[in-house]
Amino acid sequence: AHKKALKCFKDSLVLRKIGSKEETADTAETYHNIGNCEAKLGLFEDCLHSYCEALKIKKKIYPSDMLSLSTAKTEHCMGLALLQLGSVIEALGFFMPAMEVRQQVLGSEHLDYAFSLHNVGRVYFHQGRVDDAIVCLEEALRIKKSKLDNGHPSVAETEHVLASLYIQKEDIATAIPLLKSALSTYKGKKDCDIMKSDIFDLLGKAYSIIGIIEDAILSYKHSLKIKRAVLGLDDVACANVLMEIGKLRASTGDLNEALIAFKEVKRIHKEVYGKEHLRNAELLIQV
């Protein structure tokens, strides 16, 4: 569907250019829509180019002192694309002006402002600015909960990121309810398997921090089951979870189960990296 939509928007752009040499707001929106389709298809460098074209036209059309929601929308999408490409600092440079415009024009209780807060919080998370990220995400979560239905995936997304930050601060009492709430939402949605798996990983880490080892192992087992089904038995992500299970088994004195987990990690590492890879050093220490 996204490929068909992309073709339609590109055809529309050609016709607009044939019909008029002037760059109009409609032309800018067509570029923006092309970028949206490319983003949905995972073509992040392409979508960044399309958003740039849209933004260039919008900045010509709208005066520099005009608070344009249309411009803010494209800036926000450019930030998302840059975040996907790993350009965290550049992403913040687009998220911040978009957020400021949304706050001034729409107000501090609007959902679009919450979406901006969420993504600024994500950037801070990637930068290691944990406290700044929590401030943004807590406010985003408050607004989303006031505007969206219970079980909305956007609420779960913010809960998910926020919980991972609280785990970094070892505030497990705050993190676990957020994780359980997000997991409850993801369980009822399609195409959320990897998100569920990540939640189980975080629960495993949270329970291990507070010493509830059996719950930690159970959480990691749920994660492993999902990863094997989605990614395959030989994926490194499976090895990472098995490593955690092995460590926890060893900490309880269950050495036989620990060795079973470590041997499977060794098999995957050998398959993926080769026998002499440095990753096998940690494994050998554990064994």
Side-chain angles (χ1 to χ4, degrees), residues 36-64:
N36 285 347
C37 293
E38 289 166 337
K40 292 286 187 182
L41 293 167
L43 305 172
F44 297 112
E45 291 185 359
D46 291 344
C47 79
L48 192 59
H49 172 75
S50 298
Y51 290 140
C52 281
E53 290 298 315
L55 190 60
K56 183 171 66 176
I57 297 169
K58 288 178 181 183
K59 286 189 172 181
K60 285 181 182 178
I61 294 171
Y62 304 117
S64 59

Side-chain angles (χ1 to χ4, degrees), residues 67 95-105 113 116:
L67 296 175
F95 283 139
M96 290 301 289
M99 183 173 73
E100 289 167 7
V101 168
R102 286 173 168 181
Q103 184 180 28
Q104 290 183 55
V105 177
Y113 177 59
S116 287

Side-chain angles (χ1 to χ4, degrees), residues 66-119:
M66 179 180 175
L67 296 175
S68 166
L69 287 174
S70 179
T71 301
K73 176 180 69 175
T74 300
E75 287 174 330
H76 185 83
C77 289
M78 287 184 72
L80 291 172
L82 287 162
L83 205 54
Q84 288 288 343
L85 292 168
S87 301
V88 176
I89 295 174
E90 286 185 73
L92 188 61
F94 288 99
F95 283 139
M96 290 301 289
M99 183 173 73
E100 289 167 7
V101 168
R102 286 173 168 181
Q103 184 180 28
Q104 290 183 55
V105 177
L106 300 173
S108 298
E109 297 297 318
H110 198 278
L111 264 178
D112 283 351
Y113 177 59
F115 296 147
S116 287
L117 279 168
H118 173 91
N119 285 303

Side-chain angles (χ1 to χ4, degrees), residues 12-13 15-17 19-32 53-62 70:
S12 172
L13 183 63
L15 292 173
R16 288 187 188 283
K17 287 183 175 181
S20 173
K21 291 183 179 181
E22 286 189 25
E23 293 178 324
T24 65
D26 287 339
T27 307
E29 282 305 308
T30 302
Y31 271 118
H32 182 94
E53 290 298 315
L55 190 60
K56 183 171 66 176
I57 297 169
K58 288 178 181 183
K59 286 189 172 181
K60 285 181 182 178
I61 294 171
Y62 304 117
S70 179

